[in-house]
C-alpha cells in the first residue's frame, strides 16, 4: 500500500475522527496507520495513564467526577490523539505540499536528463528525447 502524503492525511484523519465520534468501532491497525511513531507512543502513554487511573480509583458515577479525575474511555483517548494529529497535519500542510512539489520536480528532471544523456550518446535530438520521456512519465514538456 502506498504511503499517505500530507494531502491525503488530513482527509483521512477527519474521516476517522467522525467515525470515532459516531461510535463506530475501528481496528487498532487502522488507528495506528494514520499516526506517526511519536503519536502512536503518545496514544499508548495516554492509555497507560488511564489504566493507572482506573487502578487507583473506582469508576466515577457522574460526569462531573469523571471530568475532575480526568477519566476517559479508549475512544476519548483516541479522539484526543487524533485531534492533535489533525492539528499537526494542518500546521505542516504547506511544508508538506512544498516537499511533494520538490520531489516531483526532481523526478521530472531525472527523467529528462536520463533520456537527454542517452540521446546525446546515440547522436539523436536530445531535447526532443527528453521531452518524450517526460511525457511518458506524466510530466509537462520543457520549452527550449
Amino acid at each position: 500500500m502506498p504511503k499517505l502524503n500530507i494531502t491525503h492525511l488530513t482527509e483521512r484523519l477527519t474521516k476517522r475522527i467522525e467515525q470515532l465520534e459516531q461510535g463506530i468501532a475501528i481496528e487498532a491497525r487502522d488507528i495506528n496507520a494514520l499516526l506517526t511513531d511519536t503519536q502512536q507512543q503518545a496514544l499508548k502513554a495516554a492509555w497507560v495513564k488511564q489504566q493507572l487511573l482506573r487502578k487507583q480509583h473506582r469508576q466515577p458515577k457522574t460526569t462531573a467526577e469523571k471530568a475532575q479525575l480526568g477519566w476517559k474511555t479508549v475512544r476519548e483517548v483516541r479522539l484526543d490523539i487524533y485531534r492533535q494529529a489533525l492539528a499537526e497535519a494542518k500546521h505542516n500542510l504547506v511544508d508538506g505540499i512544498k516537499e511533494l512539489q520538490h520531489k516531483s520536480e526532481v523526478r521530472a528532471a531525472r527523467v529528462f536528463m536520463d533520456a537527454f544523456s542517452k540521446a546525446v550518446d546515440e547522436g539523436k535530438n536530445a531535447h526532443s528525447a527528453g521531452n518524450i520521456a517526460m511525457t511518458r512519465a506524466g510530466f509537462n514538456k520543457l520549452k527550449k
Side-chain angles (χ1 to χ4, degrees), residues 115-125:
F116 187 90
S117 299
K118 186 176 179 183
V120 167
D121 291 343
E122 294 173 357
K124 296 181 180 177
N125 185 349

Side-chain angles (χ1 to χ4, degrees), residues 47-63:
W47 183 239
V48 167
K49 181 180 175 185
Q50 287 298 313
Q51 289 175 329
L52 290 174
L53 185 67
R54 283 167 168 65
K55 287 181 182 178
Q56 293 172 355
H57 301 285
R58 290 181 162 242
Q59 184 171 356
K61 307 243 186 270
T62 63
T63 56

Side-chain angles (χ1 to χ4, degrees), residues 4-15 33-36 39 82 85-86 88-90 93:
L4 292 174
N5 64 31
I6 193 74
T7 58
H8 299 125
L9 186 62
T10 55
E11 178 184 335
R12 301 262 176 100
L13 283 170
T14 304
K15 180 181 172 186
L34 299 177
L35 299 176
T36 63
Q39 291 166 344
Y82 262 95
L86 181 61
E88 186 177 319
K90 284 182 178 179
L93 189 62

Side-chain angles (χ1 to χ4, degrees), residues 101-115:
Q101 182 180 8
H102 176 72
K103 286 181 180 179
S104 176
E105 290 171 356
V106 167
R107 184 170 173 263
R110 187 169 292 131
V111 167
F112 182 84
M113 288 307 298
D114 288 346

